[in-house]
Amino acid sequence: MREVFKAELENIADELVEMAAKVSEAMRSATEALENNDLELAEKVIDADTEIDNMTAGLDQRSAELLALQAPVAADLRVVISALKMSVALERMGDLARHIASLVRIRHPQPALPEGFRDVFLRMGEAAIRIGEEMEQLLDNPGLRGVPLINAIDEELDQLHLRVFALIADSDHGALSPAQIADITLLSRYFERFGDQAVNVSQRVEYLLTGSWVPDLSAKD
């Protein structure tokens, strides 16, 4: 029975890595769709999010069954609970990539980004892609080295998020329509929250490695 339990935990860990890879690819594609006003690619991101949602549901069900049937304690209990929390964060990250792609689809054939905001969102997209890749690597090869890297990229996203609002404030009166201001604000928030959720995942990995839980209160659920 113990070997079965161990195998199930390993399967859950493998699925978390697979989910992270899909989330990272979703953000990469959503960013490309945003930058290039690529409707076809945006549609692919939107459609692919269903697979991430289904993986989350399946992983959560298996984790719940392990809790009910195996009644794990101590370190094993931490693993299962952390897997549940990480799957929620990964599912939300997939949703955020889908939200970006959805805005591309809504505004097409017009671009979702006004010209004066392309540079800052290019930087946000690059940072979001990097944080997704670092998170995927962290789950595949758990270690404390990746945690501060993810925190640093998240801080970069936070600063770019503030930069977006500064650019809005500095825009000439009437240069942006209300719809454009709403779109820019939402897009910036999606990228910023993507980083926060990656931090949530990294905190759970750190917890598993150290047994210490000191959450970053700035990374809201």
Side-chain angles (χ1 to χ4, degrees), residues 25-102:
E25 177 59 31
M27 178 52 76
R28 187 180 298 108
S29 296
T31 297
E32 182 179 342
L34 178 65
E35 293 170 0
N36 299 325
N37 196 23
D38 189 330
L39 178 60
E40 182 178 356
L41 187 55
E43 294 281 8
K44 289 180 180 179
V45 174
I46 294 166
D47 292 342
D49 187 55
T50 301
E51 185 175 0
I52 297 174
D53 292 343
N54 290 339
M55 290 184 70
T56 299
L59 189 149
D60 289 353
Q61 180 177 350
R62 283 191 296 281
S63 297
E65 289 172 352
L66 281 179
L67 289 173
L69 299 176
Q70 300 293 340
V73 296
D76 290 339
L77 180 61
R78 291 205 304 269
V79 171
V80 179
I81 296 298
S82 293
L84 285 166
K85 294 289 188 180
M86 285 189 281
S87 78
V88 170
L90 289 167
E91 190 270 338
R92 288 176 178 171
M93 293 174 80
D95 286 346
L96 290 163
R98 174 172 55 82
H99 292 337
I100 293 169
S102 294

Side-chain angles (χ1 to χ4, degrees), residues 149-161:
L149 286 175
I150 288 173
N151 288 335
I153 301 171
D154 180 57
E155 178 62 26
E156 182 180 344
L157 280 166
D158 289 344
Q159 292 303 313
L160 289 168
H161 184 50

Side-chain angles (χ1 to χ4, degrees), residues 31 110 197:
T31 297
Q110 298 301 316
Q197 294 298 340

Side-chain angles (χ1 to χ4, degrees), residues 168-217:
I168 293 173
D170 290 341
S171 296
D172 293 337
H173 180 69
L176 297 172
S177 70
Q180 286 177 316
I181 293 174
D183 288 350
I184 294 165
T185 303
L186 286 171
L187 286 169
S188 184
R189 180 62 170 164
Y190 297 151
F191 282 113
E192 186 263 341
R193 290 298 293 128
F194 190 87
D196 284 349
Q197 294 298 340
V199 169
N200 286 341
V201 172
S202 72
Q203 287 177 345
R204 288 291 168 179
V205 174
E206 184 176 22
Y207 172 57
L208 289 175
L209 293 173
T210 66
S212 176
W213 177 244
V214 183
D216 179 358
L217 298 180

